[in-house]
Amino acid sequence: MRTLDVEAGPTRYTITIGPALIGDPHACAARIPGRDHLVVTNETVAPLYLDKLRAGLPGRRVQACVLPDGERFKTLATLERVFDALTAHRFNRDAVVIALGGGVVGDMAGFAAACYQRGVGYVQVPTTLLAQVDSSVGGKTGVNLPAGKNLVGAFHQPLAVIADTDTLATLPPRELRAGLAEVIKYGCICDVGFLDWIETRLEALLACDAAALTEAIERSCAIKARVVGEDEREHGLRAILNFGHTFGHAIEAATGYETLLHGEAVALGMLCAADLSCRIGMLEPAAAARIGALLTRAGLPTVTPRIGAARAAELLRLDKKVLAGKVRLVLLDGLGRAVVSDAYPQDALGAVLEERFA
Ligand code: NAD
Ligand code: GLY
């Protein structure tokens, strides 16, 4: 079992990573405060892990809210079901919500906790690789609107993150690969040594090797914890974690959130951002090719859906990082050095959109 501390503004919490954590009172009851819990989960994860989690919380009052599965249910309407469950079971301010599932469940449970009675505590128990390396850490919570992804939300840090690596054994291989896109992202933005390591251990990661996955999760969380520790509310540095996400969110919106998984869209987005970085002379073409080769080996898509350059440009302008009408993008000033910029020439962006989306 490994632990990492996150310090985000005035909040401090521990990420625990390891096998057999769900179901173990030393890992769960000891790290989840309070007596009253609403476990927010979904209809896929509940049959796999809900009873196990209950066993890890002896003597607690544990109720469950089982949501439908899928990004399309990450909505205000679904959120109401969580509030209904909280009120039906008469939970008050000392209740602790537990998010048991992937990033969709984690974002919704965290947002519900941020809002219910103006804020109750919550704990993340992530069960996808993507959630274990990214979404469960850092306190971004929220839901989608028809106009775009994560457009309503709050920063609300969890009280603890408990990442049980055994849960990855039941994860569909495609979901594991989508999680690897975010792992590769960390290497690209700030740690070439980690990128070297991922290249060496990729087969082990794809084969769900426990030691390799644990190391990938720990190194990813360490990077995320450092960045969030420096810039919890994304006034600057934290935006680098969105490498590939601006293009990726546009791709997800254009394809209706159903065709591609979030991590797959991020993989495509990273290639767009790397391409733009090359066109403006910040990144060697060989470095962009290296990212492409790694994503290909990881079984991630590398060919962007042809949604049209104009539609892509329009969707980019919906990004939350747009300031004064300018689309700020995370680019690579060399491999391992991400920068946030709106100073790229528009014709270079236009060329990327034409080549990859038209
Ligand atoms: P997800 O939550 O949809 O989970 C993927 C699928 O795996 C779902 O069908 C789920 O039911 C299933 N599943 C989960 N755990 C399982 C297990 N152990 N065994 C079998 N099946 C399992 O998707 P995700 O990739 O985990 O998360 C994507 C979401 O996370 C997106 O909504 C994205 O916006 C959000 N996100 C948030 C942040 C953040 O900082 N808050 C960061 C990155 C992504
Ligand atoms: N996934 C981006 C962030 O947490 O800031």
Side-chain angles (χ1 to χ4, degrees):
M1 188 165 84
R2 317 265 182 98
T3 59
L4 279 169
D5 290 330
V6 185
E7 259 188 84
T11 320
R12 210 189 159 96
Y13 55 95
T14 300
I15 306 169
T16 307
I17 304 160
L21 300 181
I22 298 178
D24 178 359
H26 298 294
C28 291
R31 288 178 166 77
I32 302 178
R35 289 194 46 78
D36 290 346
H37 305 302
L38 182 74
V39 179
V40 179
T41 184
N42 73 21
E43 57 204 9
T44 305
V45 177
L48 295 168
Y49 300 112
L50 182 55
D51 285 347
K52 254 190 192 166
L53 182 59
R54 285 184 198 279
L57 293 165
R60 305 286 178 90
R61 183 165 81 102
V62 181
Q63 303 289 349
C65 174
V66 181
L67 302 174
D69 185 2
E71 181 76 34
R72 70 182 183 285
F73 296 108
K74 191 177 154 182
T75 60
L76 289 167
T78 308
L79 204 63
E80 254 191 83
R81 293 174 59 161
V82 183
F83 295 134
D84 287 347
L86 283 162
T87 50
H89 297 298
R90 302 189 190 290
F91 281 114
N92 49 35
R93 279 208 170 138
D94 54 12
V96 172
V97 171
I98 302 175
L100 175 68
V104 169
V105 160
D107 282 10
M108 280 197 289
F111 189 40
C115 302
Y116 185 64
Q117 299 198 0
R118 300 201 179 85
V120 298
Y122 76 110
V123 169
Q124 292 273 14
V125 183
T127 61
T128 64
L129 181 60
L130 187 135
Q132 294 186 355
V133 299
D134 189 355
S135 61
S136 65
V137 177
K140 278 189 182 176
T141 71
V143 296
N144 304 329
L145 293 181
K149 253 183 89 85
N150 303 330
L151 288 183
V152 177
F155 286 100
H156 188 47
Q157 298 294 338
L159 300 167
V161 179
I162 300 169
D164 185 335
T165 50
D166 283 350
T167 60
L168 302 179
T170 55
L171 196 62
R174 186 177 168 201
E175 297 288 351
L176 187 87
R177 293 193 292 268
L180 282 175
E182 300 279 8
V183 175
I184 292 167
K185 172 195 81 179
Y186 289 114
C188 293
I189 60 173
C190 61
D191 191 343
V192 181
F194 187 32
L195 204 61
D196 295 340
W197 180 88
I198 299 165
E199 283 171 335
T200 314
R201 301 291 285 144
L202 188 65
E203 272 66 40
L205 291 166
L206 287 166
C208 238
D209 175 90
L213 283 171
T214 303
E215 183 162 350
I217 296 163
E218 190 182 8
R219 289 178 79 161
S220 300
C221 287
I223 293 172
K224 181 143 189 190
R226 179 171 61 72
V227 173
V228 169
E230 281 185 43
D231 177 25
E232 184 200 6
R233 299 282 165 132
E234 201 167 306
H235 297 302
L237 178 72
R238 184 167 179 168
I240 68 169
L241 297 175
N242 289 319
F243 177 55
H245 285 59
T246 306
F247 292 102
H249 286 165
I251 294 166
E252 282 184 280
T255 51
Y257 304 106
E258 293 288 317
T259 325
L260 289 162
L261 302 179
H262 174 71
E264 293 172 338
V266 167
L268 292 167
M270 290 195 285
L271 290 176
C272 296
D275 184 356
L276 180 56
S277 308
C278 288
R279 285 174 196 266
I280 61 177
M282 285 171 52
L283 186 70
E284 293 293 327
R290 185 174 164 192
I291 299 170
L294 184 54
L295 295 172
T296 305
R297 276 180 62 206
L300 286 156
T302 53
V303 179
T304 315
R306 299 287 166 180
I307 63 173
R311 176 90 179 111
E314 185 188 315
L315 288 167
L316 288 184
R317 283 193 288 275
L318 278 179
D319 189 79
K320 289 189 286 304
K321 288 186 299 309
V322 170
L323 267 187
K326 287 189 166 167
V327 182
R328 292 187 303 145
L329 291 169
V330 185
L331 302 176
L332 294 181
D333 187 12
L335 211 46
R337 258 196 320 276
V339 292
V340 184
S341 171
D342 62 7
Y344 50 84
Q346 287 304 310
D347 58 347
L349 174 60
V352 172
L353 299 183
E354 276 301 323
E355 179 154 329
R356 293 183 177 262
F357 292 88

